[in-house]
Every structure is written in structure tokens, then in C-alpha cells.
Amino acid sequence: MKKFLIKTTLVASVSAMALTGCSSTTNSGVIGSDRQQLLLVSNDQVMQMSAQSYNQLLQEARNKKVLDTNAAQLARLNGIARKLINQAEVYRGDAKNWQWEVHTIKSNELNAFVLPGGKIMFYSGIIDRLNLTDAEIAAIMGHEMAHAIREHARERISSQYATQTGIGIAASVFGLSQGQAQLASMAGDLGIARPNSRTQEAEADKIGLVLMAKAGYDPNAAVSLWKKMQSASQGEPPQFLSTHPSSSNRIASLQALIPQVMPYYKK
């Protein structure tokens, strides 16, 4: 009975917050952006957390002398980024005013990400070891930009916050011990480096395809990219796949989406 009451309280708490915290971070009517999101924490709060993590990473890379060591590679990434950023306003007009940055880290890791606010990081290994074309780089960058544009990290943090708030209410009402409450509220690292949900990944795939197609990159490169990633995962799984699981289903979904975005590319 106590378990049922706790569960009911959690559901009621989260539902009440969802009623006041559901909105969308992007324009409606664009492919991949019509879902309402639970946004209980402010964008400014997420930006602050993100900036702190990003600046720490940059400083560590500078200290190790592995930041932006290949000028030609950095210029290549900046060129691709500019084309993609120019298309971001189709989803949200304020994106063009973000303080976009592109950096590289010299490392054999197969990894890349875009943090909230437009902080783009590529590890040299993902470009060199997979021998990525510009279009395949655009597929990665567009997908990662989509996570930032849709504020998926903010959404995951909000979801965790809702769960913890509900747990706090349950602990107060039903006398859960501190240990029980801590165990129940354990949820990783606030969503910044945790695996994205299937829903978020599907959105990022769709939005990323639109961005790259409108920027003039063949969306079929997204399929060839994930095939390369799938092959790379046969040995030691790449760091990139810790938050972006690869699968045959994903490749099939991308192939099914391509006809929808191909007109953007052809135009």
C-alpha cells in the first residue's frame, strides 16, 4: 500500500508540474519539432552549467596542448558550421544570436558534441579514423546542433528535477529514510552527458537532416556516417555511442526520412 501511495504521489507531483512546465523550444510546423517539452528549469541555468563544463574542458585541453592543433581541420569545421548555423533560424530565430564556437581536441577518441548555447567540439579521431567527408561531418554536427536547438539537456534536467521533487514530497509525507530518498533520486550528471532518450534522438535525426540538406549537404551522408559508426562499434564502442546508440533501426529510420528532406537539398 505504501509503495502504491508513493507512486501515486510521484505521478501527481510530476503531472502537476508538467501542466505548468510544458512548452516547445522551437517553431511548430517544422519537421521534428512539434512535440511539447517539460521545461521546469530556465535556459539561463542550463547555459551557466554548460558554460562552466565547457570552459573547464577548454582549459584542460590548453594545458595538455591538444586544443585546436590542426588549423586546416579547424577551418574546415568552421566552414561547415557556418552553413549549418545559417539554417538554424528555421527552427528558432534566436539561434543566430548565440555565441557559437567551434573547437577541436587532438585525440584518437571518436567523439563530438554541441553543448547548449552552440559550443561545438570535435575530437580529431572521429574525423581522421572514420575518414569523414564534409557531408558526414555535417551529419554529425547537424544532429548535435539539433540537441542544442531543441534544448534536450534542459529537458532531461527538468525531468530529473520533477522526479526528485516528487521523491522529496514522498519522503516528507511517508517518512522515507534519507538513504532511501537518495537512492531513489540518483540520476547521473544532470543530463549533460547522459544518454539521450529515443524520442530526443529521433528528433535530432530529423532536425539534423533538415539542417544539413538546407545547408547543401547530401542527407544520404547521414546513412553512410552511421554505417561507419556501426562498423567502428564492433570493437571497443566509441565514446560517441555512449550517448548516441547506433543500430540498424536507426539507419533504416534515416533512410525513410531522406525523401522528406531531399527537396531542401535539391533546391
Side-chain angles (χ1 to χ4, degrees), residues 196-207:
N196 301 298
S197 71
R198 291 182 180 179
T199 298
Q200 291 177 339
E201 282 296 287
E203 283 182 345
D205 281 343
K206 292 176 183 178
I207 293 172

Side-chain angles (χ1 to χ4, degrees), residues 157-209:
I157 293 170
S158 295
S159 177
Q160 182 188 7
Y161 176 73
T163 301
Q164 288 180 333
T165 301
I167 289 168
I169 293 172
S172 173
V173 173
F174 299 109
L176 290 177
S177 71
Q178 184 178 4
Q180 288 173 315
Q182 288 177 342
L183 179 63
S185 65
M186 192 177 300
D189 55 0
L190 298 178
I192 296 297
R194 295 174 62 202
N196 301 298
S197 71
R198 291 182 180 179
T199 298
Q200 291 177 339
E201 282 296 287
E203 283 182 345
D205 281 343
K206 292 176 183 178
I207 293 172
L209 281 179

Side-chain angles (χ1 to χ4, degrees), residues 38-202:
L38 180 64
L39 303 170
L40 300 177
V41 297
S42 73
N43 187 41
D44 287 343
Q45 288 175 303
V46 177
M47 291 285 197
Q48 289 174 5
M49 286 189 288
S50 173
Q52 183 176 358
S53 297
Y54 192 66
N55 290 333
Q56 181 178 347
L57 177 63
L58 291 181
Q59 189 56 54
E60 290 174 355
R62 288 192 187 97
N63 293 341
K64 295 177 181 177
K65 302 186 185 304
V66 294
L67 184 69
D68 300 333
T69 60
N70 186 328
Q73 189 173 80
L74 182 61
R76 182 187 182 195
L77 290 171
N78 268 299
I80 296 169
R82 282 193 297 271
K83 293 179 181 179
L84 293 170
I85 292 167
N86 286 339
Q87 305 304 323
E89 61 183 342
V90 70
Y91 285 98
R92 52 186 302 164
D94 66 333
K96 63 183 178 183
N97 298 322
W98 289 0
Q99 299 300 310
W100 292 92
E101 293 181 24
V102 182
H103 290 287
T104 63
I105 288 179
K106 183 179 180 181
S107 168
N108 284 329
E109 285 187 40
L110 304 181
N111 200 13
F113 55 83
V114 178
L115 289 182
K119 309 306 182 187
I120 302 171
M121 179 65 75
F122 268 71
Y123 289 66
S124 60
I126 200 168
I127 299 172
D128 298 334
R129 289 173 57 191
L130 298 185
N131 193 26
L132 296 181
T133 65
D134 283 5
E136 288 169 339
I137 291 174
I140 293 176
M141 196 179 292
H143 177 96
E144 292 303 301
M145 285 173 59
H147 282 307
I149 289 169
R150 279 290 280 170
E151 298 184 37
H152 284 158
R154 179 184 175 195
E155 189 176 12
R156 293 199 301 279
I157 293 170
S158 295
S159 177
Q160 182 188 7
Y161 176 73
T163 301
Q164 288 180 333
T165 301
I167 289 168
I169 293 172
S172 173
V173 173
F174 299 109
L176 290 177
S177 71
Q178 184 178 4
Q180 288 173 315
Q182 288 177 342
L183 179 63
S185 65
M186 192 177 300
D189 55 0
L190 298 178
I192 296 297
R194 295 174 62 202
N196 301 298
S197 71
R198 291 182 180 179
T199 298
Q200 291 177 339
E201 282 296 287

